[in-house]
């Protein structure tokens, strides 16, 4: 079983914790993590882009000139795609980009991302994360003491509004809970700062 140091909010080492091999010690599957990231980004798309076709653009009801005898190419409307101010041919229309991947693939991707972070020493375990008041400087001081870097993902076992709002104004810092943890956020940060109770919950869910 891999072991990891446990720190307090002042950056002091207060002990060690054993991690599950099944969750934090597997060989990361790169292709599965890639599939999970692509799926996450696709599901974030709104799909509300829309262009006007020639039937939706105003005007163009009258034939611009007679069919024959003018020397011009024949035209039926000034709102055809080749005209200025004409409609768009084959342009995007509102659509849903969402799709699902298998549950086993999702779980393997999360375990792979967690294992890659542990092997790269990019996961910091906190014994507890308590913020007495809505103070951004409390989180800034903690991250500085832990040498967490610029892009940090803070993971707690449950929603703590004081933690969420205290970290909301810090550029590059994102907070989440165990139930909302995703591969994209884990791979997109320099380090993961995770509470010990959240690690235990992850091991219960993914072991």
């Amino acid at each position: 079983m891999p072991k990891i140091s446990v720190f307090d909010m002042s950056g002091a080492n207060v002990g060690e914790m054993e991690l599950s091999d099944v969750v934090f010690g597997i060989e990361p599957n790169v292709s599965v993590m890639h599939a999970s990231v692509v799926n996450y980004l696709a599901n974030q798309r709104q799909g509300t882009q829309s262009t006007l076709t020639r039937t939706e653009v105003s005007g163009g009801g009258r034939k611009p000139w007679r069919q024959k005898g003018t020397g011009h190419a024949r035209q039926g409307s000034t709102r055809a795609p080749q005209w200025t101010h004409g409609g768009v041919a084959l342009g995007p229309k509102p659509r849903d980009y969402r799709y699902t991947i298998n549950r086993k693939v999702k779980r393997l991707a999360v375990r792979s991302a967690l294992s890659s972070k542990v092997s790269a020493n990019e996961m910091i375990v906190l014994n507890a994360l308590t913020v007495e008041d809505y103070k951004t400087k409390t989180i800034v001081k903690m991250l500085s003491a832990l040498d967490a870097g610029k892009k940090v993902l803070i993971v707690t076992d449950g929603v703590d509004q004081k933690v969420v709002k205290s970290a909301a104004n810090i550029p590059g810092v994102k907070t989440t809970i165990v139930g909302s943890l995703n591969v994209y956020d884990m791979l997109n940060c320099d380090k993961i700062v995770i509470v010990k109770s959240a690690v235990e919950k992850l091991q219960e869910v993914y072991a």
Side-chain angles (χ1 to χ4, degrees), residues 44-62:
Q44 301 308 301
R45 295 185 69 173
Q46 288 184 320
T48 55
Q49 74 279 37
S50 183
T51 53
L52 299 180
T53 65
R54 61 184 295 169
T55 62
E56 296 168 321
V57 178
S58 63
R62 182 174 64 85

Side-chain angles (χ1 to χ4, degrees), residues 160-172:
D160 186 338
Q161 287 297 332
K162 289 183 178 178
V163 173
V164 172
K165 292 187 177 181
S166 296
N169 288 334
I170 309 173

Side-chain angles (χ1 to χ4, degrees), residues 7 30 52 57 77 89 102 121 128 131-132 161 165 168-169 173 181 185 189 191 196:
F7 298 88
V30 177
L52 299 180
V57 178
S77 170
N102 293 339
N121 293 320
V131 179
E132 295 179 358
Q161 287 297 332
K165 292 187 177 181
N169 288 334
V173 176
L181 196 61
D185 286 339
C189 66
K191 289 188 179 178
K196 185 177 179 181

Side-chain angles (χ1 to χ4, degrees), residues 26-115:
I26 69 170
E27 180 68 29
N29 190 320
V30 177
S31 62
V32 166
M33 288 192 290
H34 176 264
S36 182
V37 169
V38 172
N39 172 249
Y40 174 82
L41 293 176
N43 291 348
Q44 301 308 301
R45 295 185 69 173
Q46 288 184 320
T48 55
Q49 74 279 37
S50 183
T51 53
L52 299 180
T53 65
R54 61 184 295 169
T55 62
E56 296 168 321
V57 178
S58 63
R62 182 174 64 85
K63 189 174 175 67
W65 50 74
R66 66 180 189 270
Q67 182 80 346
K68 303 169 88 58
T70 64
H72 296 303
R74 54 195 173 188
Q75 301 290 334
S77 170
T78 56
R79 293 299 178 259
Q82 73 271 19
W83 285 74
T84 302
H85 307 303
V88 176
L90 308 177
K93 283 293 183 184
R95 56 170 287 198
D96 185 8
Y97 289 91
R98 293 187 65 84
Y99 69 96
T100 59
I101 57 177
N102 293 339
R103 181 170 170 268
K104 287 184 178 179
V105 173
K106 282 184 182 179
R107 291 172 65 87
L108 177 58
V110 171
R111 294 202 305 269
S112 295
L114 290 170
S115 297

